[in-house]
Amino acid sequence: MQLYLDTANLDEIREAASWGILSGVTTNPTLIAREKGADFKQTISEIAELVNGPISAETISLDAPGMINEGLEYAQWHPNVIIKVPSTTEGLKAVYELAKRDIRTNVTLCFNAAQALMAARAGAFIISPFVGRVDDTGVDGMQLIREIATIYRQDRAITTLILSASIRHPRHIIDSALAGADIATCPFKVLQQAMRHPLTDRGIEQFLADWKSRT
Ligand code: G3P
């Protein structure tokens, strides 16, 4: 399973990229808005220079023609830009039309496996089920990943990648990989948490203490 960073913060992207673990980046309007004063096009272009992999940029139109126009524009910014559209029937139309022009899409805000199946049929490059937000409703979000993985693997014609989104903690990363996700997109904080373990820290302290006390 590949790891993407779910952020528009260039410092976080630069740091995680230096760990050698980043295969791509996802953004959304909320994450872009969090970077006060940043220009959307410039931010996406700079991310594409930092990470050699798919960079998702989200459309804000509600209708297919608007999404397609935005997608055609974003696609010119860098060959690695992936056009994010919502899991709606208008989103499906945009996926279908953009795919005809070899423009890759990420269908976001996916909350049931039927949406994922339809996105794949329309030609989505990536489907983004929101695990954490499903968990928030009291339903097991990881079950959504399992269902989509089962449905996709039963049909060889489907090549859509399953991207586990709305990741809230390191356990989500592990369970996404076990459930069959191709990618997990993670907040920077969760990637940091995932590499921390008290026994690792204690082990380092003990090794250093023993090293200093050697005779
Ligand atoms: O990739 C989608 C993700 O940004 C949503 O996460 O934490 O806002 O549910 P969250």
Side-chain angles (χ1 to χ4, degrees):
M1 184 182 77
Q2 292 188 328
L3 296 171
Y4 286 11
L5 198 53
D6 195 27
T7 187
N9 184 285
L10 298 174
D11 291 334
E12 291 180 350
I13 294 167
R14 217 172 275 118
E15 174 64 15
S18 76
W19 304 346
I21 58 150
L22 269 197
S23 298
V25 174
T26 49
T27 66
N28 63 38
T30 303
L31 295 171
I32 295 287
R34 213 171 270 166
E35 305 307 309
K36 301 272 180 253
D39 176 75
F40 182 36
K41 177 181 175 181
Q42 193 181 330
T43 301
I44 295 296
S45 304
E46 286 186 42
I47 295 172
E49 292 306 315
L50 292 173
V51 179
N52 185 20
I55 314 295
S56 289
E58 190 154 345
T59 56
I60 48 160
S61 297
L62 296 177
D63 62 322
M67 291 176 205
I68 293 165
N69 279 338
E70 287 178 66
L72 291 173
E73 187 198 333
Y74 302 174
Q76 289 173 21
W77 296 348
H78 194 281
N80 284 345
V81 172
I82 310 296
I83 314 306
K84 232 173 164 185
V85 301
S87 295
T88 60
T89 51
E90 291 301 298
L92 291 180
K93 289 183 205 170
V95 167
Y96 187 48
E97 292 303 321
L98 289 169
K100 287 181 195 168
R101 297 167 169 84
D102 287 330
I103 294 175
R104 296 177 294 176
T105 51
N106 173 353
V107 177
T108 189
L109 290 164
C110 169
F111 290 95
N112 73 51
Q115 289 177 316
L117 177 60
M118 292 169 78
R121 288 266 87 93
F125 175 62
I126 286 173
I127 184 71
S128 289
F130 275 34
V131 171
R133 292 195 197 182
V134 175
D135 282 351
D136 291 344
T137 68
V139 176
D140 177 17
M142 210 51 69
Q143 183 59 19
L144 180 53
I145 304 290
R146 288 186 210 103
E147 288 180 2
I148 297 170
T150 302
I151 290 166
Y152 279 14
R153 306 282 124 83
Q154 279 171 358
D155 188 337
R156 283 167 193 269
I158 293 179
T159 55
T160 307
L161 300 172
I162 304 169
L163 180 149
S164 190
S166 190
I167 295 282
R168 302 279 169 77
H169 47 72
R171 189 72 227 173
H172 272 158
I173 299 178
I174 299 163
D175 288 340
S176 294
L178 292 171
D182 299 291
I183 306 154
T185 191
C186 312
F188 182 67
K189 190 184 78 175
V190 176
L191 289 181
Q192 284 179 312
Q193 287 171 341
M195 278 307 290
R196 257 186 240 131
H197 197 286
L199 290 179
T200 304
D201 295 341
R202 203 188 301 167
I204 291 169
E205 277 171 30
Q206 186 66 53
F207 284 153
L208 285 181
D210 291 345
W211 180 255
K212 281 182 192 153
S213 69
R214 76 191 193 284
T215 53

